[in-house]
Every structure is written in C-alpha cells, then in structure tokens.
Amino acid sequence: MSAATNTFENVKATILSAHKNSTLKEKTDFYDSWAENYDQDVAILDYRAPSLAADCISSHFSGDREAAVVLDVTCGTGLVAKQMKTHGFGHFVGIDGSKAMVELARKSGLYQDLKLSMLGEEPLPVQWGLFDVVVIVGSLSVGQVPVHVVRELCKATKPGGYVCMTTRNNCSNKEYKAALESELKQMEQEGLWACVEVTEVEDWERAVSEHEDGYISGVVYLYRRPQLQHSA
Ligand SMILES: C[S@@+](CC[C@H](N)C(=O)[O-])C[C@H]1O[C@@H](n2cnc3c(N)ncnc32)[C@H](O)[C@@H]1O
C-alpha cells in the first residue's frame, strides 16, 4: 500500500492485528510482514521516538561523532540511524529480529554491520565494552524486548559511553514501564551506570488502542557508564 492510499484507520488495524501475537517469533513475523510499509505507516502515526532519542543523545555527546561507534538495537528499517546521521554520527551497527527489517536497514546504506538476532532468547551478538552509544527505540515494551536485556545493553557500552532507551507510557505498557524503571534504578544502585536524563514526552505518537485516543505519552532515558578509574 502506498503512502498516498494508506489511512490512520488502516495503520491502526495493522497494529491492533499484532496484539494477539503471544510469542516473540509471532511478533517478529508481524514486523516481517509490516516492513515494506513501516516507514510510511509510522509517519501517519506521527511516530517521533527516533528523532527524540537522537536529539537527547546529541545534546549530551561531546566526543568525535564521526569516529563514534553506535549500536542501534532493534534497528528496524533504520529510522534511528537516519536521525543520528543528521547530528553528525557516522558509524552504525544494527541488530533486529526481523529479517525483512534487517534487509531494509541494509538497503538504507547507513549501517557498517547488521545482525539478525532475537533478543531475550539469544544473547546480544556483540563484543562487550565496544560501543560509544547504544540506542534502543520502539521495542522496550510488553511482548517485545524483555526488561533484563538492558543489562546487556549496558555491558555492550564503553566506559564513559551512553545508553539511550525509549518506552511508551500508555495503558497496555504500564506494568512493563514500571519493571523497566525498577531495573534501571537497580543497575544505578549497583554502580553500573548513572542516569543523565529522563524526558517525558506528552505527544509521543498517535494512540491506536480502543481505550485511548489522541496521543499517548512516552519516555526517553539516557544513562552513562562510569569512566575507567586511572590510578596515579
Ligand atoms: C517499533 S519497531 C522500531 C524500529 C526502530 N528502532 C524505529 O524506531 O523505527 C520495533 C522493532 O523491534 C524489533 N524487535 C522487537 N522485539 C525484538 C526482539 N525481542 N529481538 C529482536 N528484535 C525485536 C522488531 O523486529 C522491529 O523491527
């Protein structure tokens, strides 16, 4: 379906059709089937999470952006890398569980490397401590990436590097969001990272559930790993 013929009602029906999916495999199969229309459909939803995450990272990152290596977890078609490129970042590695999404990310030409992996079922397929920035947008929610995976995102980050995460703040995601925030705090208490910024955004994206209308809200979290301590 082309952008010119699709409507908000069609997009809503597409997304609601995925709510019956109970396994991760069913969810990524859904993304396989949605991949071709994904970019135009999320534009209809006024989906701004990729640009909000990229703006947040950009406002704190003070290193060499061209040289920085960014891990885009659940990269989808590449919307996050596209936004980060406008802020001067140039080196991206992408991971996603949907083959069709990874294929479109490859076609975008934005990624130096792409990996197909089902997070939560397989360990994050990267070397620990390698990335200047790790970003995950649009998939920290119920039925997608389990909360415990954030520990792996932290491990993948260099000392002094950043982890940027987003989640939705709507009815169906309330329990997941509470569990996520509890894990983020727990990891801060363990000294694994420090909270840099938490931004609540009212008009995150257009609501699609039967119980909500208008816009739902969402959150961008930015955490930073401690620098290595050098002894004198
Ligand atoms: C809403 S899209 C977000 C894509 C991209 N980050 C963006 O903001 O446009 C969610 C993506 O997460 C992927 N995904 C969801 N759960 C996953 C999992 N457990 N492991 C790997 N990929 C997953 C889907 O295949 C899909 O590409």
Side-chain angles (χ1 to χ4, degrees):
M1 189 174 294
S2 77
T5 56
N6 213 355
T7 63
F8 176 64
E9 286 309 319
N10 281 339
V11 179
K12 187 170 163 172
T14 300
I15 293 171
L16 288 179
S17 76
H19 285 188
K20 64 179 184 330
N21 296 339
S22 56
T23 65
L24 260 180
K25 169 82 171 62
E26 283 173 346
K27 198 73 166 182
T28 45
D29 283 351
F30 162 73
Y31 279 108
D32 277 341
S33 66
W34 194 24
E36 209 55 57
N37 289 328
Y38 178 84
D39 286 6
Q40 63 197 34
D41 285 0
V42 297
I44 290 169
L45 294 181
D46 208 4
Y47 175 66
R48 299 188 303 128
S51 65
L52 292 166
D55 291 351
C56 175
I57 294 162
S58 179
S59 68
H60 291 277
F61 190 90
S62 59
D64 177 348
R65 295 177 181 211
E66 262 303 311
V69 188
V70 178
L71 179 64
D72 182 4
V73 180
T74 66
C75 59
T77 58
L79 295 182
V80 174
K82 190 174 167 190
Q83 290 296 327
M84 288 190 71
K85 201 168 159 59
T86 68
H87 290 288
F89 291 90
H91 192 136
F92 301 98
V93 174
I95 297 177
D96 201 280
S98 153
K99 208 170 171 186
M101 288 295 212
V102 166
E103 212 31 62
L104 288 173
R106 196 180 310 285
K107 280 192 192 148
S108 76
L110 290 163
Y111 296 87
Q112 273 73 26
D113 193 11
L114 281 158
K115 296 166 199 286
L116 186 66
S117 178
M118 198 73 88
L119 306 175
E121 291 182 357
E122 301 168 275
L124 198 66
V126 295
Q127 207 181 312
W128 295 150
L130 198 69
F131 296 92
D132 299 275
V133 178
V134 175
V135 57
I136 182 164
V137 174
S139 58
L140 283 174
S141 64
V142 63
Q144 297 201 77
V145 174
V147 166
H148 67 82
V149 172
V150 296
R151 284 190 180 259
E152 296 179 38
L153 306 185
C154 180
K155 282 186 193 162
T157 313
K158 274 183 186 167
Y162 291 91
V163 184
C164 183
M165 297 158 276
T166 71
T167 201
R168 296 186 180 90
N169 190 19
N170 62 328
C171 305
S172 61
N173 202 45
K174 283 227 178 317
E175 268 179 45
Y176 181 98
K177 178 173 175 283
L180 174 67
E181 291 183 350
S182 161
E183 184 73 339
L184 301 183
K185 283 206 181 78
Q186 173 65 30
M187 289 169 65
E188 188 161 27
Q189 280 161 15
E190 291 171 25
L192 297 175
W193 59 16
C195 181
V196 178
E197 187 183 315
V198 177
T199 307
E200 308 244 352
V201 180
E202 282 305 317
D203 48 351
W204 186 257
E205 67 194 35
R206 292 175 76 182
V208 294
S209 91
E210 299 91 347
H211 318 290
E212 293 158 323
D213 52 17
Y215 278 71
I216 61 163
S217 60
V219 190
V220 182
Y221 307 90
L222 188 68
Y223 279 73
R224 188 171 194 192
R225 284 202 63 190
Q227 301 278 1
L228 281 183
Q229 301 295 317
H230 295 289
S231 49

